Amino acid sequence: PAPLHLAPLAPEAAACGAAAESGRRDEAVRLADAAEPAFRARLATAPRDPDAHVGLAALLLRCRVPFVEMADKGALSGEAIELLQ
């Protein structure tokens, strides 16, 4: 099941995680592209919102990292870790 904190900000986030876990790269990337701006916009207006931090970190780790080049995995993982600190 999708984490509950993802649904209020970007419904596509839960679906992208499921797509990524099933190896459906194109669908996962398309859904992540749709969901990520909602999290970033929320962080811009409410930078201390824990759901936005956790949601964006989860999106990066579940929907982006599995499909990027090895060199980019570290940068995305680092951003996710910073969001969770």
Side-chain angles (χ1 to χ4, degrees):
L4 293 177
H5 63 270
L6 296 178
L9 292 177
E12 298 87 353
C16 91
E21 289 171 10
S22 297
R24 299 187 315 265
R25 180 195 181 281
D26 292 342
E27 181 181 356
V29 170
R30 179 181 55 77
L31 290 164
D33 287 347
E36 188 173 341
F39 288 109
R40 295 204 183 272
R42 177 66 180 163
L43 287 171
T45 60
R48 298 178 60 91
D49 181 342
D51 288 337
H53 282 266
V54 171
L56 180 56
L59 180 116
L60 294 175
L61 292 172
R62 293 179 70 206
C63 304
R64 297 266 188 226
V65 169
F67 303 113
V68 297
E69 297 294 324
M70 187 58 75
D72 296 325
K73 288 182 188 290
L76 285 175
S77 297
E79 182 180 356
I81 290 168
E82 286 180 23
L83 286 163
L84 296 173
Q85 292 180 342

